[in-house]
């Protein structure tokens, strides 16, 4: 089943996606409510909603499927790491530490945007990039979950575009704390949340989801990969996130960017030049994930802000 959050005539609703359109859930119900109720209860509520009248998709604005408590973003594709290390940090190869355990950072749950919303260029950035990912949504609270327990705790999946200001990111990561404002401007989540049972047939014998991933800019395909090329399946990502702490129902965990052109920075690192160029206002980025759906965002001009004030130095004066 597919659950969506959408705006219609100025009001926000949650509903079930069907061939004939969106079927509204009871007023006041959110997709996060369904996730917290658990998959069996959510499927029952969705089945009841399907008996109501549909609203055509072209009448609504799709919002992020849910408002997650937290958003973690992993870096689970080896090919992506290899290309981006060369582009962002000027290094080469894949760091040995990448293979030891999944790595993630927390990103901004307040910066989520819908499947077709415009994306402003972040203030001060001239190197805007996209990142093609899939995200898992946790369906129940848990701590120090085993991979088997984590697999059962996944409610569903959605498409994630981790928009990245590469020039800001390069500066920030030299301080050895990971990305901050370089990843803080926008994250597309959508077009809806597909329940885990729908994608179960795509699991390969090693537990990976063998889904086709594609991204294009202005109609020209830039990247194409398989989700099953991840270094760890999603249950191991969820398990690791919960290690010694908690994951909560509604938490979003991104796969990290796929390889083979999943972002521009990977291609820049491999080619030694900015080819294709960084995104500019007017560019349209479209991502399609097999079994889930398509998101399509247009880049627009951002706001101009004063330059950031440099720090007062105490050590240089000694």
């Amino acid at each position: 089943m597919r659950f969506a959050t959408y705006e219609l005539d100025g009001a926000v609703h949650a509903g079930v996606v069907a061939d004939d359109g969106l079927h509204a859930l009871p007023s006041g119900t959110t997709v996060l409510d369904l996730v917290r109720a658990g998959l069996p209860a959510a499927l029952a509520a969705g089945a009841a909603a399907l008996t109501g009248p549909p609203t055509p998709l072209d009448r609504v604005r799709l919002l992020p499927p849910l408002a997650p408590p937290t958003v973690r973003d992993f870096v689970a594709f080896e090919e992506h790491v290899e290309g981006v290390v060369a582009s962002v940090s000027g290094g080469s190869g894949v760091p040995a530490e990448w293979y030891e355990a999944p790595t993630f950072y927390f990103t901004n749950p307040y910066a989520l945007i819908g499947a077709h919303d415009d994306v402003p260029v972040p203030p001060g950035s001239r190197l805007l990039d996209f990142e093609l990912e899939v995200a898992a949504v946790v369906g129940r609270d848990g701590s120090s979950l085993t991979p088997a327990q984590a697999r059962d705790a996944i409610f569903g999946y959605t498409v994630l575009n981790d928009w990245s200001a590469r020039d800001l990111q390069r500066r920030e990561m030299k301080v050895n704390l990971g990305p901050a404002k370089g990843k803080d401007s926008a994250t597309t989540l959508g077009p809806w949340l597909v329940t885990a049972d729908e994608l179960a047939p795509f699991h390969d014998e090693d537990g990976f989801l063998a889904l086709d991933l594609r991204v294009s800019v202005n109609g020209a395909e830039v990247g194409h990969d398989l989700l099953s090329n991840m270094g760890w399946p999603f249950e191991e990502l969820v398990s690791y996130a919960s290690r010694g702490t908690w994951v909560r129902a509604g938490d979003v965990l991104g796969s990290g960017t796929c390889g083979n052109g999943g972002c521009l920075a990977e291609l820049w690192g491999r080619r030694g030049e900015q080819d294709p160029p960084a995104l500019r206002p007017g560019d349209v980025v479209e991502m399609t994930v097999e079994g889930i759906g398509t998101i399509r965002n247009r880049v627009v001009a951002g706001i101009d802000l004063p330059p950031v004030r440099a720090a007062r130095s105490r050590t240089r004066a000694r």
Side-chain angles (χ1 to χ4, degrees), residues 75-89 91 93-94 127-133 164 166 169-170 183 213 215 222-226 229 256-278:
V75 55
F77 287 84
E78 187 177 15
E79 294 86 350
H80 168 74
V81 174
E82 184 178 45
V84 170
V85 162
S87 175
V88 175
S89 65
V94 179
L127 291 178
L128 181 61
D129 196 358
F130 59 80
E131 298 203 39
L132 171 57
E133 308 186 26
S164 300
R166 296 300 186 192
Q169 181 187 2
R170 285 174 182 170
K183 302 277 192 171
L213 315 174
V215 57
V222 175
H224 176 207
D225 201 1
L226 285 174
N229 286 331
T257 308
C258 67
N260 197 36
C263 70
L264 297 175
E266 177 207 333
L267 298 176
W268 298 343
R270 296 189 186 282
R271 297 172 181 176
E273 59 179 334
Q274 289 179 15
D275 176 34

Side-chain angles (χ1 to χ4, degrees), residues 54-67:
T55 298
L57 274 168
D58 60 8
R59 285 194 56 203
V60 309
R61 173 194 168 205
L62 288 172
L63 302 174
L66 76 165

Side-chain angles (χ1 to χ4, degrees), residues 1 16-18 20 23-24 45-53:
M1 192 166 284
V16 181
V17 184
D20 58 355
H23 295 257
L50 287 171
T51 62

Side-chain angles (χ1 to χ4, degrees), residues 273-295:
E273 59 179 334
Q274 289 179 15
D275 176 34
L279 299 172
R280 298 179 290 261
D283 287 342
V284 175
V285 178
E286 182 172 290
M287 297 178 171
T288 299
V289 176
E290 181 182 13
I292 300 180
T294 297
I295 59 177

Side-chain angles (χ1 to χ4, degrees), residues 105-146:
Y105 71 97
F106 283 94
T107 192
N108 189 352
Y110 307 124
L112 299 181
I113 63 171
H116 304 128
D117 289 344
D118 289 344
V119 178
V121 176
S125 177
R126 296 181 180 274
L127 291 178
L128 181 61
D129 196 358
F130 59 80
E131 298 203 39
L132 171 57
E133 308 186 26
V134 171
V137 175
V138 177
R140 67 175 74 118
D141 297 357
S143 176
S144 296
L145 301 172
T146 67

